[in-house]
Amino acid sequence: MSSKLDSLLETAAEVERLRDALRHSEALAAEEARLEDVVGAAPRLQEAAGATAVAAEPVARELEREWVEQGPLVTVWQRAVDLAQLADAAGADTAPYQADVEAARHQVEAARLATREQRERLTAVRDRLADVLLEAPLGLEPPPPVADDARPEALRRDALELIRRADEAGSAAESAAAAASDRLESLRAELDAVGRPDALTARIEELERALPHEVELGPDAPPSAAMRLRRAGLHVR
């Protein structure tokens, strides 16, 4: 086998090796970018989680106050309903009782106007956190929507759940960032050993320019030579 063919085969083998290395390097670089996104997103998510708790806690306290305040009104309403039902069952005139029911209901609804304002505040807080969670590359689920419920006790539960979910998200972001940082250290060392994609691409292109487009093999060439050259992208006759 001629020295020229030997040189071609060596160059072709090097091109093939570098192409394999490039595929590996590109996969590592993609993983590196993903991990960097995780590390970069963690502070934003932790800040959003903290802001959620700061904004939701006073809402939860106000809803608890309204729950206590509205309790007697709801009790009066329920009692009026019960009396109207008893009157109806006894065959008595229910009109006076129904008037009491309506008056009690209006009092509760008037009190719950403020509760609806708290629901709007809570929804805005929830939506801000959900937006950050959906943008972050951490795979965290957004908190459930605030219930369409005028009762302060129900909305208070949602507020407490939102605070809990925000705390979980902040902790998850911290853990994910720590794990990503650890992985980045070893991944970058591996990338340095394999070679960065841009450097490998440049070297492949340099070698490819040194290879002929077509090669004619003599009868003394080994059978494997044609296959090895074709894998490097050469036309073989």
Side-chain angles (χ1 to χ4, degrees):
M1 187 165 58
S2 69
S3 59
K4 182 178 180 180
L5 181 56
D6 282 342
S7 178
L8 280 176
L9 291 172
E10 288 177 5
T11 303
E14 179 64 3
V15 168
E16 187 176 1
R17 185 193 69 79
L18 289 172
R19 285 173 180 165
D20 288 340
L22 177 59
R23 285 189 288 271
H24 186 198
S25 178
E26 287 173 338
L28 292 174
E31 177 68 1
E32 179 187 37
R34 187 191 69 79
L35 293 173
E36 287 173 344
D37 285 345
V38 170
V39 173
R44 295 193 299 273
L45 183 49
Q46 288 176 297
E47 181 181 356
T52 297
V54 169
E57 283 170 358
V59 176
R61 288 195 297 271
E62 174 60 20
L63 287 167
E64 183 174 13
R65 186 193 67 79
E66 292 178 8
W67 181 16
V68 172
E69 186 179 78
Q70 293 175 26
L73 299 178
V74 174
T75 299
V76 169
W77 184 15
Q78 185 60 55
R79 185 177 299 138
V81 170
D82 293 342
L83 289 173
Q85 290 174 344
L86 286 172
D88 183 59
D93 182 10
T94 62
Y97 300 101
Q98 289 297 337
D100 290 342
V101 169
E102 287 303 303
R105 180 175 65 81
H106 285 309
Q107 281 190 311
V108 171
E109 289 179 348
R112 285 180 176 174
L113 288 174
T115 302
R116 283 197 285 272
E117 292 176 5
Q118 299 306 319
R119 181 184 181 278
E120 291 174 2
R121 289 177 60 191
L122 190 61
T123 296
V125 173
R126 178 264 172 198
D127 289 349
R128 286 195 295 271
L129 178 62
D131 287 344
V132 176
L133 285 172
L134 290 172
E135 291 173 1
L138 300 175
L140 298 176
E141 291 294 325
V146 176
D148 186 10
D149 197 321
R151 296 173 302 156
E153 61 270 31
L155 293 174
R156 177 178 175 273
R157 286 195 296 270
D158 281 1
L160 295 177
E161 176 64 11
L162 179 59
I163 294 168
R164 186 188 70 80
R165 293 286 290 269
D167 183 63
E168 283 186 353
S171 298
E174 183 179 8
S175 298
S181 295
D182 290 343
R183 172 61 181 140
L184 272 171
E185 186 176 351
S186 61
L187 187 146
R188 285 168 176 160
E190 187 177 359
L191 255 177
D192 290 339
V194 173
R196 292 277 173 175
D198 53 352
L200 291 171
T201 299
R203 179 56 178 157
I204 290 170
E205 291 174 350
E206 179 185 359
L207 291 175
E208 287 176 338
R209 286 192 295 270
L211 289 170
H213 178 68
E214 186 175 270
V215 176
E216 183 174 357
L217 293 179
D220 60 335
S224 63
M227 179 183 65
R228 293 161 63 188
L229 293 172
R230 288 191 181 100
R231 282 206 301 262
L234 279 67
H235 293 282
V236 180
R237 293 192 292 118

